Amino acid sequence: LAKTTQPISMDSYEGQEVNITCSHNNIATNDYITWYQQFPSQGPRFIIQGYKTKVTNEVASLFIPADRKSSTLSLPRVSLSDTAVYYCLVGDNRKLIWGLGTSLAVNP
Amino acid sequence: GAVVSQHPSWVICKSGTSVKIECRSLDFQATTMFWYRQFPKQSLMLMATSNEGSKATYEQGVEKDKFLINHASLTLSTLTVTSAHPEDSSFYICSAGWTSANNEQFFGPGTRLTVL
């Protein structure tokens, strides 16, 4: 199972775009890249998933370079309610291994 | 997205008692359910994976006789913490999904267990 590395914490301000990068040098051919969001004392919430290139949905974009050794979650125009921990997971969704995630603080 | 519920949302019990936590997929049938534990300021730790109608697969270091998992139907899995002790106090989260590798897991809201 591929290990992921992401910043422990990030700070931003309301209305800014936030990019969180995750490194996964040992990603396997069959691995997907999935991002989850977690608020305190709540279960994680799925944000976005991708395999290669770019994926966009109503809340975020996921950029994956050709070598797939990293990925970047982009949150456009963050608000205070986006303050949470963001997890990057790589592998088979039948067994998810969680790192410490990135604690994002959005300031007014 | 699919909805997963957990009951209770929080529970306080005395040391030595057993506690049962229910996980339900409300609007879909989940072939696989997962149980996680999360201590404060830490990440989620997978405890076990259960498939409907079969025995759960426990992760290394998780005592199967202490954490009993039953997955009797495609919409319900239960986790029973037997003879709970203060060190079992944690946030327990379940998720449900399918057997396909690229399908996301849908997480429940979690259950806060406090053992006195």
Side-chain angles (χ1 to χ4, degrees):
Chain A
L1 295 165
K3 180 181 176 181
T4 61
T5 302
Q6 50 184 124
I8 293 296
S9 63
M10 292 182 68
D11 276 280
S12 183
Y13 292 92
E14 283 190 290
Q16 288 190 332
E17 177 184 80
V18 171
N19 296 308
I20 306 174
T21 297
C22 178
S23 298
H24 28 80
N25 292 318
N26 297 321
I27 188 170
T29 303
N30 296 329
D31 287 344
Y32 287 80
I33 301 162
T34 311
W35 286 79
Y36 284 84
Q37 175 194 55
Q38 187 182 28
F39 297 111
S41 295
Q42 293 188 28
R45 184 176 73 100
F46 173 88
I47 301 175
I48 198 165
Q49 182 184 76
Y51 184 80
K52 61 181 179 181
T53 62
K54 176 184 175 182
V55 180
T56 297
N57 61 23
E58 62 275 11
V59 298
S61 295
L62 179 60
F63 299 92
I64 306 170
D67 64 4
R68 302 199 330 123
K69 293 182 183 298
S70 67
S71 59
T72 299
L73 174 71
S74 181
L75 304 173
R77 299 180 300 281
V78 294
S79 63
L80 296 177
S81 62
D82 293 317
T83 294
V85 178
Y86 292 82
Y87 295 95
C88 162
L89 294 104
V90 171
D92 191 325
N93 282 330
R94 289 170 292 193
K95 181 169 181 174
L96 297 176
I97 305 299
W98 299 71
L100 289 175
T102 297
S103 180
L104 172 66
V106 179
N107 302 292
Chain B
V3 179
V4 176
S5 70
Q6 280 184 243
H7 178 80
S9 55
W10 59 269
V11 56
I12 301 173
C13 69
K14 293 182 178 180
S15 185
T17 60
S18 294
V19 175
K20 179 185 285 188
I21 303 170
E22 291 186 350
C23 176
R24 293 182 184 272
S25 56
L26 299 183
D27 52 0
F28 70 103
Q29 293 184 325
T31 53
T32 306
M33 287 186 171
F34 306 84
W35 287 96
Y36 296 85
R37 181 167 53 180
Q38 186 175 31
F39 293 107
K41 304 288 186 184
Q42 295 188 24
S43 188
L44 281 77
M45 185 188 75
L46 179 65
M47 299 175 67
T49 302
S50 73
N51 293 299
E52 183 264 340
S54 62
K55 291 183 179 180
T57 301
Y58 290 81
E59 294 300 304
Q60 191 173 12
V62 179
E63 301 175 55
K64 63 179 181 180
D65 295 329
K66 179 170 181 62
F67 299 99
L68 302 178
I69 292 174
N70 183 278
H71 193 165
S73 75
L74 288 171
T75 59
L76 173 64
S77 176
T78 60
L79 167 68
T80 301
V81 183
T82 63
S83 187
H85 291 284
E87 57 265 32
D88 298 322
S89 298
S90 188
F91 192 53
Y92 291 86
I93 308 171
C94 75
S95 70
W98 295 275
T99 54
S100 177
N102 64 332
N103 286 122
E104 67 182 271
Q105 292 184 21
F106 302 96
F107 286 82
T111 297
R112 174 75 59 191
L113 170 63
T114 302
V115 184
L116 302 176

